[in-house]
């Protein structure tokens, strides 16, 4: 090759190299944003490490629901759970209980009030003891009492008045009387401490129903001379139960009749006589049914096991004058 040819080739190569250099330099900016684009995904992924950094508290959440906070403050479990992870794990326990206590303050007073009171208030009457019912003695009008005792005297009932009885818990009689004869010549054994309205109902029942029924059914027995009573005034609940409504015996409104003693023959005891086809059975069923004309409650041996051996007669007042007779 000649020198001019060699120079030309060198110049062409130089030009090509310069062009490639220029092209290479021009491409660099094109690739320049690429590294910048890389940090962008890095930034998008940066939140991912953040939860990783927030996860360290996760081990702190594990001790948060420890049984200790729940055991100390069981009354506000809903409030204990949110603050628990913050108050227990750190050293700020003395400072953070302060905000939790005021949060618990409002519900605690009602809970405190309920603990001593609601056990009684929430119980149905059937589950309340006599002490839990907070009953009081029913007052009696002086005028009505005087009218009642005058009616007893007119019927020939033998009785005496006695001081007010107050045995607490609603047991007692404001104006009690002690009856020794239900009617002239018919003793009440033992003497019965009751209210005057109870004695008046007993006297009328005996005079208008029991004595005539005995004369018709058992004339050979002679007249009735004694009423044997099982219970008059007694402070207790119904049927002697530990819980439930107060007995009318505890208010002087009730008397239990166990048997009738006749002038001749054996006593007629009160017992189950539903299937008794004798005149004695007829006598008992008659006086039991007639009792509801004078008393507001009549329970006989057919009522339940608690009254298998006597009549329960009381004068409790119910709404609408309702009476229960069985």
């Amino acid at each position: 090759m000649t020198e001019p040819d060699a120079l030309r080739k060198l110049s062409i190569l130089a030009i090509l190299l310069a062009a490639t250099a220029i092209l290479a330099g021009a491409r660099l900016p094109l690739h320049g944003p690429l590294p910048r684009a890389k940090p962008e995904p890095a930034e998008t992924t940066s939140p991912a490490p953040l939860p990783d950094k927030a996860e360290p508290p996760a081990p702190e959440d594990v001790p948060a629901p420890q049984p200790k906070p729940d055991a100390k403050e069981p009354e506000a479990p809903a409030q204990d759970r949110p603050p628990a992870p913050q108050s227990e794990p750190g050293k700020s326990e003395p400072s953070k209980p302060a905000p939790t206590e005021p949060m618990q303050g409002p519900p605690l007073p009602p809970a405190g009030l309920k603990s001593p009171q609601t056990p009684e208030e929430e119980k149905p009457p059937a589950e309340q003891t006599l002490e839990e019912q907070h009953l009081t003695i029913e007052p009696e009008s002086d005028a009505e009492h005087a009218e009642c005792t005058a009616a007893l005297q007119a019927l020939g009932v033998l009785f005496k008045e006695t001081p007010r009885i107050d045995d607490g818990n609603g047991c007692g009689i404001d104006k009690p009387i002690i009856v020794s004869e239900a009617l002239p010549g018919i003793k009440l054994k033992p003497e019965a401490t009751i209210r005057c309205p109870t004695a008046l109902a007993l006297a009328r029942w005996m005079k208008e129903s029991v004595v005539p029924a005995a004369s018709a059914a058992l004339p050979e027995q002679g007249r009735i001379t004694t009423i044997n009573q099982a219970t008059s005034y007694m402070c207790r609940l119904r049927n002697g139960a530990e819980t439930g409504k107060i007995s009318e015996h505890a208010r002087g409104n009730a008397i239990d009749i166990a048997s009738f003693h006749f002038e001749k023959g054996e006593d007629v005891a009160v017992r189950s006589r539903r299937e008794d086809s004798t005149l004695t059975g007829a006598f008992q069923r008659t006086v039991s049914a007639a009792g509801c004309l004078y008393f507001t409650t009549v329970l006989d041996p057919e009522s339940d096991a608690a009254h298998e051996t006597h009549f329960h007669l009381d004068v409790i007042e119910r709404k609408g004058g309702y009476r229960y007779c069985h």
Side-chain angles (χ1 to χ4, degrees), residues 257-258 268-274 276 278 280-281 284-285 300-302 307-311:
I257 306 300
V268 174
V270 177
R271 58 183 177 83
S272 178
R273 296 183 185 274
R274 177 178 293 174
D276 187 348
T278 67
T280 301
Q284 178 176 302
R285 292 192 299 271
D300 64 16
E302 314 302 338
H307 301 89
E308 288 180 339
T309 59
H310 63 273
F311 292 138

PDB file of all heavy atoms in Angstrom, residues 257-258 268-274 276 278 280-281 284-285 300-302 307-311:
ATOM      1  N   ILE A 257    -106.668 -26.036 109.669  1.00  0.00           N
ATOM      2  CA  ILE A 257    -107.592 -26.871 110.437  1.00  0.00           C
ATOM      3  C   ILE A 257    -107.237 -28.333 110.202  1.00  0.00           C
ATOM      4  O   ILE A 257    -107.269 -28.815 109.067  1.00  0.00           O
ATOM      5  CB  ILE A 257    -109.063 -26.607 110.038  1.00  0.00           C
ATOM      6  CG1 ILE A 257    -109.384 -25.109 110.150  1.00  0.00           C
ATOM      7  CG2 ILE A 257    -110.010 -27.455 110.867  1.00  0.00           C
ATOM      8  CD1 ILE A 257    -109.205 -24.545 111.550  1.00  0.00           C
ATOM      9  N   ALA A 258    -106.910 -29.060 111.302  1.00  0.00           N
ATOM     10  CA  ALA A 258    -106.480 -30.456 111.194  1.00  0.00           C
ATOM     11  C   ALA A 258    -107.622 -31.439 111.403  1.00  0.00           C
ATOM     12  O   ALA A 258    -107.655 -32.499 110.768  1.00  0.00           O
ATOM     13  CB  ALA A 258    -105.369 -30.742 112.188  1.00  0.00           C
ATOM     14  N   VAL A 268    -113.154 -36.266 113.299  1.00  0.00           N
ATOM     15  CA  VAL A 268    -113.117 -36.339 111.842  1.00  0.00           C
ATOM     16  C   VAL A 268    -111.861 -35.596 111.405  1.00  0.00           C
ATOM     17  O   VAL A 268    -111.809 -34.359 111.449  1.00  0.00           O
ATOM     18  CB  VAL A 268    -114.373 -35.723 111.210  1.00  0.00           C
ATOM     19  CG1 VAL A 268    -114.229 -35.688 109.689  1.00  0.00           C
ATOM     20  CG2 VAL A 268    -115.605 -36.509 111.619  1.00  0.00           C
ATOM     21  N   ALA A 269    -110.843 -36.370 111.020  1.00  0.00           N
ATOM     22  CA  ALA A 269    -109.577 -35.773 110.608  1.00  0.00           C
ATOM     23  C   ALA A 269    -109.651 -35.352 109.152  1.00  0.00           C
ATOM     24  O   ALA A 269    -110.318 -35.996 108.332  1.00  0.00           O
ATOM     25  CB  ALA A 269    -108.435 -36.770 110.814  1.00  0.00           C
ATOM     26  N   VAL A 270    -108.969 -34.280 108.846  1.00  0.00           N
ATOM     27  CA  VAL A 270    -108.903 -33.809 107.464  1.00  0.00           C
ATOM     28  C   VAL A 270    -107.836 -34.623 106.746  1.00  0.00           C
ATOM     29  O   VAL A 270    -106.663 -34.613 107.121  1.00  0.00           O
ATOM     30  CB  VAL A 270    -108.564 -32.307 107.408  1.00  0.00           C
ATOM     31  CG1 VAL A 270    -108.433 -31.850 105.966  1.00  0.00           C
ATOM     32  CG2 VAL A 270    -109.626 -31.497 108.142  1.00  0.00           C
ATOM     33  N   ARG A 271    -108.266 -35.353 105.714  1.00  0.00           N
ATOM     34  CA  ARG A 271    -107.350 -36.158 104.913  1.00  0.00           C
ATOM     35  C   ARG A 271    -107.953 -36.319 103.523  1.00  0.00           C
ATOM     36  O   ARG A 271    -109.052 -35.811 103.249  1.00  0.00           O
ATOM     37  CB  ARG A 271    -107.088 -37.515 105.559  1.00  0.00           C
ATOM     38  CG  ARG A 271    -108.332 -38.361 105.794  1.00  0.00           C
ATOM     39  CD  ARG A 271    -107.972 -39.659 106.493  1.00  0.00           C
ATOM     40  NE  ARG A 271    -109.125 -40.490 106.812  1.00  0.00           N
ATOM     41  CZ  ARG A 271    -109.722 -41.330 105.975  1.00  0.00           C
ATOM     42  NH1 ARG A 271    -109.278 -41.447 104.726  1.00  0.00           N
ATOM     43  NH2 ARG A 271    -110.750 -42.060 106.360  1.00  0.00           N
ATOM     44  N   SER A 272    -107.241 -37.000 102.657  1.00  0.00           N
ATOM     45  CA  SER A 272    -107.732 -37.156 101.298  1.00  0.00           C
ATOM     46  C   SER A 272    -109.020 -37.985 101.297  1.00  0.00           C
ATOM     47  O   SER A 272    -109.041 -39.148 101.727  1.00  0.00           O
ATOM     48  CB  SER A 272    -106.668 -37.846 100.431  1.00  0.00           C
ATOM     49  OG  SER A 272    -107.157 -38.035  99.121  1.00  0.00           O
ATOM     50  N   ARG A 273    -110.085 -37.358 100.800  1.00  0.00           N
ATOM     51  CA  ARG A 273    -111.390 -38.026 100.787  1.00  0.00           C
ATOM     52  C   ARG A 273    -112.078 -37.856  99.437  1.00  0.00           C
ATOM     53  O   ARG A 273    -113.305 -37.889  99.356  1.00  0.00           O
ATOM     54  CB  ARG A 273    -112.283 -37.478 101.906  1.00  0.00           C
ATOM     55  CG  ARG A 273    -111.755 -37.754 103.312  1.00  0.00           C
ATOM     56  CD  ARG A 273    -112.712 -37.259 104.384  1.00  0.00           C
ATOM     57  NE  ARG A 273    -112.167 -37.400 105.726  1.00  0.00           N
ATOM     58  CZ  ARG A 273    -112.247 -38.515 106.478  1.00  0.00           C
ATOM     59  NH1 ARG A 273    -112.838 -39.600 105.992  1.00  0.00           N
ATOM     60  NH2 ARG A 273    -111.742 -38.544 107.697  1.00  0.00           N
ATOM     61  N   ARG A 274    -111.325 -37.674  98.401  1.00  0.00           N
ATOM     62  CA  ARG A 274    -111.933 -37.501  97.085  1.00  0.00           C
ATOM     63  C   ARG A 274    -112.724 -38.740  96.681  1.00  0.00           C
ATOM     64  O   ARG A 274    -113.795 -38.641  96.064  1.00  0.00           O
ATOM     65  CB  ARG A 274    -110.838 -37.204  96.036  1.00  0.00           C
ATOM     66  CG  ARG A 274    -111.374 -37.086  94.628  1.00  0.00           C
ATOM     67  CD  ARG A 274    -110.258 -36.737  93.654  1.00  0.00           C
ATOM     68  NE  ARG A 274    -109.731 -35.407  93.893  1.00  0.00           N
ATOM     69  CZ  ARG A 274    -108.668 -34.902  93.255  1.00  0.00           C
ATOM     70  NH1 ARG A 274    -108.021 -35.655  92.360  1.00  0.00           N
ATOM     71  NH2 ARG A 274    -108.245 -33.691  93.510  1.00  0.00           N
ATOM     72  N   ASP A 276    -113.800 -40.980  98.874  1.00  0.00           N
ATOM     73  CA  ASP A 276    -114.548 -41.466 100.044  1.00  0.00           C
ATOM     74  C   ASP A 276    -116.040 -41.262  99.794  1.00  0.00           C
ATOM     75  O   ASP A 276    -116.530 -40.126  99.748  1.00  0.00           O
ATOM     76  CB  ASP A 276    -114.093 -40.695 101.290  1.00  0.00           C
ATOM     77  CG  ASP A 276    -114.710 -41.264 102.569  1.00  0.00           C
ATOM     78  OD1 ASP A 276    -115.641 -42.080 102.469  1.00  0.00           O
ATOM     79  OD2 ASP A 276    -114.256 -40.866 103.659  1.00  0.00           O
ATOM     80  N   THR A 278    -118.465 -42.207 101.758  1.00  0.00           N
ATOM     81  CA  THR A 278    -119.246 -42.170 102.993  1.00  0.00           C
ATOM     82  C   THR A 278    -119.734 -40.756 103.263  1.00  0.00           C
ATOM     83  O   THR A 278    -119.317 -39.786 102.621  1.00  0.00           O
ATOM     84  CB  THR A 278    -118.406 -42.653 104.183  1.00  0.00           C
ATOM     85  OG1 THR A 278    -117.354 -41.711 104.420  1.00  0.00           O
ATOM     86  CG2 THR A 278    -117.796 -44.032 103.891  1.00  0.00           C
ATOM     87  N   THR A 280    -119.017 -39.134 105.868  1.00  0.00           N
ATOM     88  CA  THR A 280    -117.862 -38.378 106.381  1.00  0.00           C
ATOM     89  C   THR A 280    -117.117 -37.723 105.233  1.00  0.00           C
ATOM     90  O   THR A 280    -116.701 -36.556 105.333  1.00  0.00           O
ATOM     91  CB  THR A 280    -116.923 -39.307 107.172  1.00  0.00           C
ATOM     92  OG1 THR A 280    -117.637 -39.900 108.253  1.00  0.00           O
ATOM     93  CG2 THR A 280    -115.737 -38.526 107.713  1.00  0.00           C
ATOM     94  N   GLY A 281    -116.913 -38.473 104.149  1.00  0.00           N
ATOM     95  CA  GLY A 281    -116.276 -37.897 102.964  1.00  0.00           C
ATOM     96  C   GLY A 281    -117.095 -36.766 102.379  1.00  0.00           C
ATOM     97  O   GLY A 281    -116.556 -35.733 101.959  1.00  0.00           O
ATOM     98  N   GLN A 284    -116.620 -33.620 104.544  1.00  0.00           N
ATOM     99  CA  GLN A 284    -115.363 -32.890 104.320  1.00  0.00           C
ATOM    100  C   GLN A 284    -115.368 -32.160 102.986  1.00  0.00           C
ATOM    101  O   GLN A 284    -114.939 -31.001 102.913  1.00  0.00           O
ATOM    102  CB  GLN A 284    -114.161 -33.847 104.386  1.00  0.00           C
ATOM    103  CG  GLN A 284    -112.835 -33.128 104.117  1.00  0.00           C
ATOM    104  CD  GLN A 284    -111.639 -34.029 104.274  1.00  0.00           C
ATOM    105  OE1 GLN A 284    -111.434 -34.610 105.338  1.00  0.00           O
ATOM    106  NE2 GLN A 284    -110.840 -34.139 103.218  1.00  0.00           N
ATOM    107  N   ARG A 285    -115.828 -32.806 101.934  1.00  0.00           N
ATOM    108  CA  ARG A 285    -115.853 -32.148 100.628  1.00  0.00           C
ATOM    109  C   ARG A 285    -116.797 -30.935 100.641  1.00  0.00           C
ATOM    110  O   ARG A 285    -116.515 -29.916 100.006  1.00  0.00           O
ATOM    111  CB  ARG A 285    -116.276 -33.150  99.550  1.00  0.00           C
ATOM    112  CG  ARG A 285    -115.241 -34.236  99.297  1.00  0.00           C
ATOM    113  CD  ARG A 285    -115.565 -35.030  98.027  1.00  0.00           C
ATOM    114  NE  ARG A 285    -116.859 -35.718  98.119  1.00  0.00           N
ATOM    115  CZ  ARG A 285    -117.010 -36.961  98.611  1.00  0.00           C
ATOM    116  NH1 ARG A 285    -115.955 -37.622  99.081  1.00  0.00           N
ATOM    117  NH2 ARG A 285    -118.201 -37.527  98.634  1.00  0.00           N
ATOM    118  N   ASP A 300    -106.910 -27.875 100.300  1.00  0.00           N
ATOM    119  CA  ASP A 300    -107.276 -29.087 101.028  1.00  0.00           C
ATOM    120  C   ASP A 300    -106.317 -30.216 100.675  1.00  0.00           C
ATOM    121  O   ASP A 300    -105.371 -30.012  99.893  1.00  0.00           O
ATOM    122  CB  ASP A 300    -108.741 -29.445 100.754  1.00  0.00           C
ATOM    123  CG  ASP A 300    -108.998 -29.798  99.295  1.00  0.00           C
ATOM    124  OD1 ASP A 300    -108.021 -30.062  98.555  1.00  0.00           O
ATOM    125  OD2 ASP A 300    -110.172 -29.808  98.883  1.00  0.00           O
ATOM    126  N   PRO A 301    -106.518 -31.418 101.217  1.00  0.00           N
ATOM    127  CA  PRO A 301    -105.583 -32.520 100.942  1.00  0.00           C
ATOM    128  C   PRO A 301    -105.454 -32.893  99.477  1.00  0.00           C
ATOM    129  O   PRO A 301    -104.495 -33.579  99.104  1.00  0.00           O
ATOM    130  CB  PRO A 301    -106.188 -33.682 101.755  1.00  0.00           C
ATOM    131  CG  PRO A 301    -106.888 -33.019 102.889  1.00  0.00           C
ATOM    132  CD  PRO A 301    -107.470 -31.765 102.296  1.00  0.00           C
ATOM    133  N   GLU A 302    -106.390 -32.473  98.630  1.00  0.00           N
ATOM    134  CA  GLU A 302    -106.281 -32.765  97.207  1.00  0.00           C
ATOM    135  C   GLU A 302    -105.398 -31.742  96.473  1.00  0.00           C
ATOM    136  O   GLU A 302    -105.109 -31.904  95.292  1.00  0.00           O
ATOM    137  CB  GLU A 302    -107.667 -32.785  96.560  1.00  0.00           C
ATOM    138  CG  GLU A 302    -108.718 -33.555  97.335  1.00  0.00           C
ATOM    139  CD  GLU A 302    -108.340 -35.011  97.577  1.00  0.00           C
ATOM    140  OE1 GLU A 302    -107.502 -35.543  96.819  1.00  0.00           O
ATOM    141  OE2 GLU A 302    -108.878 -35.612  98.521  1.00  0.00           O
ATOM    142  N   HIS A 307    -100.422 -30.191 101.984  1.00  0.00           N
ATOM    143  CA  HIS A 307    -101.699 -30.007 102.683  1.00  0.00           C
ATOM    144  C   HIS A 307    -102.482 -31.312 102.794  1.00  0.00           C
ATOM    145  O   HIS A 307    -103.709 -31.312 102.806  1.00  0.00           O
ATOM    146  CB  HIS A 307    -102.531 -28.941 101.969  1.00  0.00           C
ATOM    147  CG  HIS A 307    -101.866 -27.611 101.890  1.00  0.00           C
ATOM    148  ND1 HIS A 307    -101.041 -27.261 100.836  1.00  0.00           N
ATOM    149  CD2 HIS A 307    -101.871 -26.556 102.739  1.00  0.00           C
ATOM    150  CE1 HIS A 307    -100.585 -26.046 101.042  1.00  0.00           C
ATOM    151  NE2 HIS A 307    -101.056 -25.596 102.181  1.00  0.00           N
ATOM    152  N   GLU A 308    -101.776 -32.417 102.882  1.00  0.00           N
ATOM    153  CA  GLU A 308    -102.426 -33.728 102.938  1.00  0.00           C
ATOM    154  C   GLU A 308    -103.201 -33.959 104.229  1.00  0.00           C
ATOM    155  O   GLU A 308    -104.072 -34.817 104.287  1.00  0.00           O
ATOM    156  CB  GLU A 308    -101.389 -34.838 102.777  1.00  0.00           C
ATOM    157  CG  GLU A 308    -100.821 -34.962 101.374  1.00  0.00           C
ATOM    158  CD  GLU A 308     -99.789 -36.070 101.267  1.00  0.00           C
ATOM    159  OE1 GLU A 308     -99.236 -36.470 102.311  1.00  0.00           O
ATOM    160  OE2 GLU A 308     -99.552 -36.529 100.132  1.00  0.00           O
ATOM    161  N   THR A 309    -102.887 -33.192 105.273  1.00  0.00           N
ATOM    162  CA  THR A 309    -103.489 -33.477 106.584  1.00  0.00           C
ATOM    163  C   THR A 309    -104.265 -32.308 107.174  1.00  0.00           C
ATOM    164  O   THR A 309    -104.589 -32.322 108.363  1.00  0.00           O
ATOM    165  CB  THR A 309    -102.387 -33.878 107.578  1.00  0.00           C
ATOM    166  OG1 THR A 309    -101.435 -32.809 107.688  1.00  0.00           O
ATOM    167  CG2 THR A 309    -101.682 -35.148 107.130  1.00  0.00           C
ATOM    168  N   HIS A 310    -104.556 -31.286 106.358  1.00  0.00           N
ATOM    169  CA  HIS A 310    -105.278 -30.137 106.926  1.00  0.00           C
ATOM    170  C   HIS A 310    -105.860 -29.249 105.835  1.00  0.00           C
ATOM    171  O   HIS A 310    -105.478 -29.355 104.658  1.00  0.00           O
ATOM    172  CB  HIS A 310    -104.349 -29.311 107.822  1.00  0.00           C
ATOM    173  CG  HIS A 310    -103.193 -28.693 107.088  1.00  0.00           C
ATOM    174  ND1 HIS A 310    -102.003 -29.364 106.889  1.00  0.00           N
ATOM    175  CD2 HIS A 310    -103.038 -27.480 106.493  1.00  0.00           C
ATOM    176  CE1 HIS A 310    -101.167 -28.603 106.220  1.00  0.00           C
ATOM    177  NE2 HIS A 310    -101.779 -27.450 105.954  1.00  0.00           N
ATOM    178  N   PHE A 311    -106.777 -28.387 106.240  1.00  0.00           N
ATOM    179  CA  PHE A 311    -107.240 -27.293 105.397  1.00  0.00           C
ATOM    180  C   PHE A 311    -106.344 -26.084 105.660  1.00  0.00           C
ATOM    181  O   PHE A 311    -106.069 -25.757 106.816  1.00  0.00           O
ATOM    182  CB  PHE A 311    -108.681 -26.879 105.740  1.00  0.00           C
ATOM    183  CG  PHE A 311    -109.729 -27.897 105.419  1.00  0.00           C
ATOM    184  CD1 PHE A 311    -110.761 -28.134 106.317  1.00  0.00           C
ATOM    185  CD2 PHE A 311    -109.708 -28.603 104.231  1.00  0.00           C
ATOM    186  CE1 PHE A 311    -111.752 -29.055 106.028  1.00  0.00           C
ATOM    187  CE2 PHE A 311    -110.695 -29.534 103.932  1.00  0.00           C
ATOM    188  CZ  PHE A 311    -111.716 -29.762 104.838  1.00  0.00           C
TER     189      PHE A 311
END
